[in-house]
């Protein structure tokens, strides 16, 4: 069964850091681009960033709202994706989903995890 | 949002509804594909339509997508109570160099 499971969410103070993990199973993780998408309470979906595969040199891409504060990495040997979040702000409070990317061009997200909740508050 | 969706739509069981997704020349109008996701209350999003008009296996043919110019649409025919959910369109924007979502549309089945 194709599955993504996020972990590492929690409560953090403004200015703090947190690292989310996403464990993949049931598919060839190393062959896929992977995305992080977030959803603030009662709001819509917001793309956070992307990790490309080894074929594309593991390059990353970020939304303007998180660029310079968030870092996406991956460990293909562990079938895992990570999101390092620094200098957290209250507006980063959200459910964070990891998603598998499929398809041509910029692609689409065909498999989603259940999400990890991040709360930034003092 | 870069992609504009109506905040809400509604319909009676058995009826047909459409959800629009309006973009611009830097996203949908630049011939980037549009994808649609369904988010049931309290759950993660689920891919509903990809590459403008294709359905993943398991998605009923009551759901269909189309794209023209700078806009796209999701049509749902034969509305069922279980279709009550939030629906999001997604594409790529070359000006932002980012994937973009619509603001979401809440579908109510009356």
């Amino acid at each position: 069964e194709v599955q993504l499971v996020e972990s590492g969410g929690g409560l953090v103070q403004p200015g703090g850091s947190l690292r989310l993990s996403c464990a993949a199973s049931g598919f060839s993780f190393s062959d896929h681009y992977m995305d992080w998408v977030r959803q603030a309470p009662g709001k819509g979906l917001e793309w956070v960033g992307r990790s490309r595969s080894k074929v594309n040199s593991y390059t990353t891409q970020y939304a303007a709202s998180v660029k310079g504060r968030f870092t996406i990495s991956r460990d293909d040997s562990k079938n895992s994706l990570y999101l390092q979040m620094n200098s957290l702000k209250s507006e980063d409070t959200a459910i964070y989903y990891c998603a598998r990317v499929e398809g041509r061009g910029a692609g689409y997200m065909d498999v989603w995890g259940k999400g990890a909740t991040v709360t930034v508050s003092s | 949002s870069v992609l504009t969706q109506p905040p809400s739509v509604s319909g009676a069981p058995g009826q047909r509804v459409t959800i629009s997704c309006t973009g611009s020349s830097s996203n949908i109008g630049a011939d980037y594909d549009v994808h649609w996701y369904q988010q049931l209350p309290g759950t993660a999003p689920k891919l509903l339509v990809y590459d403008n008009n294709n359905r993943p296996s398991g998605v009923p043919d009551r759901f269909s997508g189309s794209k023209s110019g700078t806009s796209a649409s999701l049509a749902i025919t034969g509305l069922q109570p279980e279709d009550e959910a939030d629906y999001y369109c997604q594409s790529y924007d070359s000006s932002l160099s980012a994937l973009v979502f619509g603001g979401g549309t809440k579908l109510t089945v009356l």
Side-chain angles (χ1 to χ4, degrees), chain B residues 84-101:
Chain B
E84 197 160 278
D86 294 324
Y87 293 83
Y88 295 90
C89 59
Q90 177 247 309
S91 187
Y92 181 81
D93 191 283
S94 58
S95 295
L96 299 173
S97 295
L99 274 75
V100 290
F101 285 96

Side-chain angles (χ1 to χ4, degrees), chain A residues 29-51:
Chain A
F29 177 78
S30 61
D31 289 338
H32 284 80
Y33 293 7
M34 298 292 297
D35 281 356
W36 286 100
V37 175
R38 68 183 180 182
Q39 186 170 34
K43 303 296 185 183
L45 302 174
E46 180 188 15
W47 178 74
V48 172
R50 171 166 291 182
S51 167

Side-chain angles (χ1 to χ4, degrees), chain A residues 21-67:
Chain A
S21 299
C22 171
S25 59
F27 66 98
S28 181
F29 177 78
S30 61
D31 289 338
H32 284 80
Y33 293 7
M34 298 292 297
D35 281 356
W36 286 100
V37 175
R38 68 183 180 182
Q39 186 170 34
K43 303 296 185 183
L45 302 174
E46 180 188 15
W47 178 74
V48 172
R50 171 166 291 182
S51 167
R52 296 186 180 88
S53 62
K54 181 178 181 180
V55 168
N56 290 92
S57 306
Y58 295 124
T59 54
T60 53
Q61 190 178 0
Y62 299 93
S65 58
V66 306
K67 195 169 186 179

Side-chain angles (χ1 to χ4, degrees), chain A residues 62-76:
Chain A
Y62 299 93
S65 58
V66 306
K67 195 169 186 179
R69 299 188 300 122
F70 289 13
T71 302
I72 297 174
S73 61
R74 62 193 291 162
D75 185 337
D76 288 352

